[in-house]
Amino acid sequence: MPAANVDLPTVPPPANALAAVVHPNPYPYYQSLAARRPFDFDATLGLWVAAGPQALAAVLRDPACGVRPVGATIPAALANGAAGDWFGALIRMNDGPAHAAMKPWFTGRLATLQADGATLDRLRDASQAACADAYLAQGDTPAARLDDFVFRQPIYALAAWLGVPSSQWVDVYDEVRTLVAAMAEAAKPSPRAEALARGHGAATTLRQRAMHWLDNDAAPGTWLHDTARSAAHDDAIDYAVLTANVAGLFTQAHDACAGLVANSLRRLARHASPGAVPVDTGRQALPANLAVAITAVGEVIRHDPPVQNTRRFLHAPAVIGERTLARGDAILVVLAAAPAGAAPNDVAWTFGHSAHACPGRSPASTIAAVGVQSMLDNNADLGAIATGAAYHPLSNVRIARFHDDASAV
Ligand code: HEM
């Protein structure tokens, strides 16, 4: 069972599985949902809700369940623009042949990212650059800087790891945020035209950047350079789809990694570090703060996961968990409700399962651990900043929020 992660006084349970994402302690509610209504229709949400482990696995494996509504791979508000073109090319947003053509190849490419000593040094440098830029962006308010840092650090670190020149990190971060904001805007009932227009601009720029990185900007020996060479030798790789998905790595990392870093920092703030004991990896002992950070990130992945739910849409009628679903039905797949140890292959549910499972699990965990380590190395006063109970107002990703000003990051 997912452990309750906070020692807060009793607060009323969340109203439903969407409200649970930002609840101070949703885990008793999730536990009861998984036990009593493992797969049921929630009339107030207008969604099927899968919460028990069998139901989660059944939905995520069922070929009738697609990642986008039937006939709507691209959200209507983004159609006819660069952000829509980009969105429609993502492996995350496609099923069938478009997904099958790229997913194994991308998974293989991401598996080449090795967290050796030189890489950890590069990630640490990128994290310190993110810390400095968070200061420039937010000034002297520690909680606002920390809110900025948890989003910025994963993008800088991923950029450093892939081989993006450091001069571009700050702009890449701004563009990724703008594109993520446009996707969120497109899901609203009345999206604001300016936010969508900015998203189209950011999508154009990011894809152009990806093109330049793959063409010549990235130095020999970097992931981007090797990826370009690998794609050049593979007729099955469509270059336009490749550039979209390289940009997509950053948007995938944005919220999910921020949740890993922020929730780990909150966990450390609440449960004072049990003492920094260097971990013996068999090759060399890790720095004490990195060892503490790796433990905290691992606990968050299992007990306070960033990605709490995802969605599926019926592309054909299906019987799932003895319930009959119609074409067009939508399912909320509550990854955070399933017991931490009950996932197939013991991979934490927060990284998804089956065809669309996250190919970035390992690098994401390393990036987050280095982000947490940077805050520990900088002696951030987590007890003063990070113990609150607020979360960014999202319906799928749980990201601890430290600054209480609603206009903050
Ligand atoms: C470096 C950071 C990351 C990268 C590059 C990355 C990349 C990706 C990509 C490319 C996909 C699409 C796979 C597909 O549709 O077949 C994906 C899916 C997914 N990722 Fe990640 N990811 C990152 C971090 C994370 C983190 C930190 C989490 C959670 C803690 C996460 C959870 C997921 C989940 C749940 C899915 C599947 C969604 C679904 O099935 O609907 N990712 N990721």
Side-chain angles (χ1 to χ4, degrees):
M1 135 180 109
N5 67 305
V6 292
D7 307 318
L8 293 171
T10 308
V11 283
N16 56 50
L18 287 180
V21 176
V22 295
H23 188 274
N25 182 10
Y27 299 105
Y29 165 81
Y30 281 147
Q31 187 190 354
S32 141
L33 189 68
R36 293 185 192 174
R37 297 178 71 187
F39 188 55
D40 205 354
F41 188 73
D42 184 324
T44 60
L45 295 177
L47 293 166
W48 290 90
V49 176
Q54 283 90 359
L56 290 181
V59 171
L60 292 175
R61 275 193 209 118
D62 199 307
C65 297
V67 288
R68 293 286 307 157
V70 186
T73 299
I74 300 170
L78 290 183
N80 306 318
D85 290 347
W86 164 79
F87 190 101
L90 295 176
I91 51 179
R92 169 70 184 82
M93 302 303 171
N94 279 280
D95 292 293
H99 182 257
M102 288 299 281
K103 176 73 183 285
W105 189 82
F106 248 97
T107 304
R109 288 302 311 144
L110 287 172
T112 66
L113 290 170
Q114 296 298 319
D116 53 24
T119 299
L120 292 176
D121 287 345
R122 279 215 308 282
L123 297 188
R124 260 190 294 277
D125 288 349
S127 299
Q128 291 303 347
C131 199
D133 285 353
Y135 192 91
L136 286 177
Q138 304 297 332
D140 222 5
T141 310
R145 289 209 312 264
L146 198 56
D147 278 330
D148 182 308
F149 175 81
V150 303
F151 286 96
R152 191 184 292 271
Q153 180 270 341
I155 302 303
Y156 283 35
L158 181 60
W161 206 342
L162 300 189
V164 175
S166 58
S167 57
Q168 297 182 32
W169 295 347
V170 64
D171 291 333
V172 168
Y173 171 68
D174 285 342
E175 288 148 16
V176 169
R177 274 188 84 71
T178 304
L179 193 46
V180 169
M183 280 198 285
E185 194 68 28
K188 293 180 183 167
S190 309
R192 287 167 303 152
E194 323 82 71
L196 300 175
R198 282 195 294 271
H200 292 309
T204 303
T205 313
L206 269 176
R207 279 182 89 169
Q208 278 166 354
R209 279 188 198 282
M211 228 156 55
H212 289 306
W213 297 334
L214 294 166
D215 280 349
N216 49 27
D217 255 16
T222 60
W223 184 89
L224 284 162
H225 190 265
D226 292 349
T227 295
R229 286 178 41 164
S230 171
H233 292 114
D234 192 334
D235 290 343
I237 302 303
D238 177 317
Y239 197 70
V241 174
L242 174 61
T243 58
N245 279 286
V246 166
L249 297 178
F250 291 95
T251 51
Q252 284 295 138
H254 184 268
D255 283 355
C257 276
L260 270 189
V261 178
N263 298 356
S264 301
L265 291 171
R266 175 160 287 164
R267 193 171 185 88
L268 285 170
R270 285 199 181 132
H271 311 275
S273 161
V277 182
V279 170
D280 186 353
T281 60
R283 286 171 301 174
Q284 66 178 92
L286 293 175
N289 283 339
L290 181 56
V292 170
I294 288 171
T295 302
V297 169
E299 287 172 359
V300 161
I301 285 171
R302 296 176 78 78
H303 300 302
D304 194 18
V307 179
Q308 299 244 312
N309 65 61
T310 186
R311 294 186 192 217
R312 290 293 185 268
F313 304 88
L314 270 290
H315 287 201
V319 176
I320 302 175
E322 297 175 2
R323 309 296 298 268
T324 303
L325 282 72
R327 184 171 189 267
D329 282 359
I331 308 173
L332 186 71
V333 186
V334 190
L335 301 166
N345 308 326
D346 201 31
V347 171
W349 288 102
T350 192
F351 290 107
H353 276 288
S354 295
H356 284 277
C358 179
R361 176 167 61 96
S362 174
S365 306
T366 303
I367 285 170
V370 174
V372 171
Q373 179 197 9
S374 298
M375 283 297 113
L376 297 175
D377 286 349
N378 293 351
N379 294 316
D381 186 356
L382 297 179
I385 311 169
T387 51
Y391 290 85
H392 286 271
L394 299 170
S395 61
N396 62 333
V397 188
R398 179 171 177 83
I399 308 172
R401 178 179 195 142
F402 307 115
H403 193 226
D404 54 11
D405 174 358
S407 66
V409 178

